[in-house]
Amino acid sequence: MTELNYACLKCGKCCFNLSFSSADYIKRIPLYPEEVDKLIEIAKKRQIPLKVKEDLVFPDILNKKILVLTYRFILDENGYCIFYDPKIGCTIHEIKPFACQAYPLAIKRIDAFNLEITIDSICNWVEEHHIKLKNIDLNKIKIIFSESFKKAEAFLRQNKKLQLHIRRMEVENKIKIARQISSEDFNRALKNWKRDEIRVS
Ligand code: SF4
Ligand code: SF4
């Protein structure tokens, strides 16, 4: 079982839009504001259009602001990430976002403040080995996906840092996140309130 070793097939499936149910043409991976800054710079240099969309946001009712924690890619007209090249794959391999580095491992939200490392079933390699990967524990995930696991741990640490930062801001009464808000009020806030990106580095 543990002789199984993840090796990317370089098929590009994870750089393509797979959220068929979504009206928006967005990539599921989260991007931190700091990552978006870097990606904007690269896109500018290469003269390619980078578009992102807000992803994880919280309404701060103290300052009447929307706190933006992460963004998502808006894909090109063919449904691919704009940094994907069919001949060579990811063209920003060395500096790709945390979520792409960790893939096919992903961070799953258990509740508002708890996350865990999981395997993304959309990956072609994972799909090929899904029987062997079914119900495996974290120790085996660590062995099979050794490199991705290190990246996923870094990704998880970054997420935790972000959560701690938000908690600290709440304790210091700098912000107040509305945890129970009607969808009407939330949509109204999304429409009218200014944005504040949350950055931890
Ligand atoms: S940044 Fe690279 S790995 Fe991530 S979705 Fe885009 S092309 Fe794929
Ligand atoms: S879907 Fe899986 S195997 Fe294919 S390129 Fe992405 S990570 Fe590699």
Side-chain angles (χ1 to χ4, degrees):
M1 167 66 190
T2 47
E3 67 272 9
L4 195 61
N5 257 317
Y6 165 68
C8 177
L9 304 171
K10 304 199 186 306
C11 63
K13 189 178 176 188
C14 55
C15 305
F16 184 66
N17 175 54
L18 292 156
S19 52
F20 298 113
S21 58
S22 167
D24 290 321
Y25 224 29
I26 56 168
K27 183 81 193 116
R28 303 180 330 146
I29 57 164
L31 306 168
Y32 297 112
E34 296 89 338
E35 293 181 317
V36 174
D37 288 348
K38 276 194 222 155
L39 297 174
I40 288 173
E41 245 177 70
I42 300 167
K44 230 187 228 172
K45 276 186 198 151
R46 294 187 187 176
Q47 297 186 313
I48 47 175
L50 171 68
K51 288 188 198 144
V52 295
K53 183 184 167 85
E54 287 168 1
D55 178 23
L56 184 59
V57 296
F58 290 133
D60 166 14
I61 50 174
L62 183 67
N63 303 296
K64 294 205 182 320
K65 279 189 177 170
I66 295 293
L67 306 176
V68 182
L69 277 71
T70 60
Y71 293 89
R72 290 186 185 209
F73 280 123
I74 295 181
L75 302 171
D76 70 14
E77 66 280 7
N78 299 312
Y80 276 96
C81 170
I82 64 148
F83 295 110
Y84 180 76
D85 180 317
K87 289 191 192 113
I88 50 176
C90 180
T91 61
I92 52 165
H93 191 65
E94 300 309 315
I95 46 145
K96 60 187 177 185
F98 270 117
C100 297
Q101 290 180 36
Y103 201 81
L105 298 183
I107 305 296
K108 183 175 156 197
R109 188 165 293 281
I110 305 167
D111 54 46
F113 287 102
N114 285 299
L115 304 157
E116 68 176 14
I117 295 175
T118 76
I119 308 170
D120 192 56
S121 59
I122 280 169
C123 166
N124 268 335
W125 186 90
V126 171
E127 210 180 328
E128 268 183 25
H129 299 90
H130 74 278
I131 295 172
K132 288 185 179 173
L133 295 171
K134 204 174 171 194
N135 299 327
I136 62 165
D137 61 30
L138 202 62
N139 283 328
K140 284 182 184 141
I141 294 179
K142 200 173 179 172
I143 296 168
I144 296 168
F145 298 91
S146 55
E147 277 313 302
S148 302
F149 195 85
K150 284 180 212 152
K151 309 286 186 187
E153 281 185 315
F155 185 22
L156 197 59
R157 277 196 297 277
Q158 181 71 7
N159 263 294
K160 285 184 177 161
K161 236 201 282 185
L162 195 56
Q163 288 175 359
L164 275 175
H165 183 66
I166 288 172
R167 278 190 199 178
R168 201 172 304 124
M169 285 170 83
E170 281 194 290
V171 170
E172 291 169 359
N173 289 322
K174 288 181 179 161
I175 58 168
K176 187 171 174 42
I177 292 173
R179 291 195 166 70
Q180 288 188 329
I181 184 167
S182 69
S183 54
E184 287 85 4
D185 286 346
F186 189 38
N187 286 335
R188 204 170 302 124
L190 277 178
K191 201 171 160 198
N192 299 313
W193 292 359
K194 286 192 174 154
R195 271 43 181 172
D196 216 352
E197 288 176 344
I198 302 290
R199 294 164 181 259
V200 286
S201 53

